[in-house]
Amino acid sequence: MTLALETIGLTKSFGGFQATKDVNLKVETGARHALIGPNGAGKTTLINLITGVLKPSAGRVLIAGEDITAMAGHQRVRRGLSRTFQINQLFAEFTILESLVLSISEREKHGARMWAPLSSERAVVDEAAALLDRFGLADVMGDKAQHLPYGRRRLLEIAIAFASRPKVLLLDEPAAGVPEEERRDVLAIVRALPADVTVILIEHDMDLVFSFADRISVLVGGSLFAEGSVDEVAADPRVKSVYLGEGP
Ligand code: ADP
Ligand code: MG
């Protein structure tokens, strides 16, 4: 089976400090893969290395078997990598529907098939409507993004990332700050994305992780510490000790 994403010996040093150390991560196509670990474990650094925000000190990143280590961020997006960004000022002024139409239009403009005609306006609006349905945003499509409650704002951010038609979607704590009763809904919508879309999720709440993931990688002190199915990781006494040791 082809791996959607693989890192080989991925290492990042900040001065003398290694934030990620020789990380060999394998993520299968279509996985719902959680990346967990204590604060400061290097999770966000790893995502930044994968997306090209940071340049690795050593190691390689592969998408669908292709080495993308030397590629700029936008080239990686074209290879099917996408991550969420917080709704910025620009999007805040738009309605939900406008934000999605804009995201889809951007993708079409920068698409690889430059000789193909742009999708018709109608096709863009139809796709935006499908996104509204998928992310449970249809009833607020006329609202401005800045007026959305937090949970739905995160869903819009994920919908915008999904509008780039990613093969691999990276979500760094998408449920952070979302009220408890909405978190599960946010992750259920992500879990239900098409089966060929690979999702890598960073999340602290272990109940949410267990309900979302089919594979879990545990990062501790920059190194991959454990990896396996949800059952394997849940039963791993070393993982338990890391999390119990971390308690308040
Ligand atoms: P996590 O997301 O798992 O909480 P991070 O990847 O944000 O962890 O950080 C891992 C470690 O690397 C932390 O000790 C953090 O202070 C350090 N770090 C992250 N970014 C930088 C940076 N730009 N410069 C120096 N140290 C950094
Ligand atoms: Mg982080």
Side-chain angles (χ1 to χ4, degrees):
M1 186 176 200
T2 332
L3 295 172
L5 174 78
E6 185 175 11
T7 71
I8 302 169
L10 205 56
T11 299
K12 180 66 186 177
S13 304
F14 295 112
F17 173 75
Q18 286 192 319
T20 60
K21 297 175 194 165
D22 193 27
V23 173
N24 298 303
L25 181 71
K26 291 181 184 346
V27 182
E28 287 188 357
T29 302
R32 299 291 177 262
H33 198 117
L35 185 60
I36 67 170
N39 277 328
K43 304 180 296 296
T44 298
T45 301
L46 187 58
I47 298 292
N48 285 336
L49 291 170
I50 292 168
T51 54
V53 171
L54 289 173
K55 202 173 153 354
S57 309
R60 297 192 289 143
V61 182
L62 279 64
I63 298 179
E66 185 184 10
D67 191 327
I68 60 157
T69 316
M71 288 183 192
H74 68 275
Q75 293 174 298
R76 298 179 192 217
V77 172
R78 285 201 203 163
R79 295 300 188 288
L81 209 54
S82 185
R83 75 182 307 177
T84 47
F85 288 96
Q86 292 198 345
I87 302 289
N88 58 27
Q89 266 325 106
L90 179 72
F91 276 120
E93 289 298 317
F94 288 130
T95 67
I96 312 307
L97 178 61
E98 287 165 348
S99 301
L100 293 175
V101 165
L102 185 69
S103 305
I104 297 163
S105 305
E106 280 295 301
R107 180 198 70 215
E108 291 296 304
K109 224 191 292 176
H110 299 294
R113 297 170 300 124
M114 286 196 291
W115 58 87
L118 291 178
S119 289
S120 69
E121 226 169 280
R122 181 56 200 255
V124 171
V125 171
D126 284 351
E127 189 176 336
L131 285 175
L132 290 169
D133 280 342
R134 176 181 287 283
F135 288 90
L137 294 167
D139 60 322
V140 289
M141 67 177 182
D143 293 2
K144 286 195 173 157
Q146 62 186 349
H147 297 141
L148 277 184
Y150 212 80
R152 306 188 94 182
R153 191 186 271 232
R154 300 317 285 264
L155 281 169
L156 176 61
E157 289 166 358
I158 299 166
I160 288 169
F162 185 69
S164 73
R165 293 199 178 145
K167 293 194 189 95
V168 179
L169 184 60
L170 300 154
L171 303 173
D172 190 349
E173 301 191 34
V178 174
E180 177 99 51
E181 61 277 12
E182 293 169 44
R183 281 185 208 159
R184 196 164 284 272
D185 299 339
V186 170
L187 289 191
I189 287 171
V190 174
R191 192 179 156 77
L193 290 176
D196 59 342
V197 176
T198 306
V199 185
I200 300 171
L201 171 82
I202 297 177
E203 172 56 49
H204 278 294
D205 181 325
M206 293 306 283
D207 287 339
L208 285 179
V209 167
F210 290 149
S211 69
F212 171 85
D214 41 46
R215 292 294 288 184
I216 300 177
S217 297
V218 187
L219 210 59
V220 176
S223 300
L224 265 192
F225 177 79
E227 187 156 52
S229 68
V230 170
D231 290 344
E232 285 163 353
V233 169
D236 187 332
R238 298 180 311 137
V239 174
K240 278 185 195 157
S241 74
V242 165
Y243 276 86
L244 292 176
E246 222 218 335

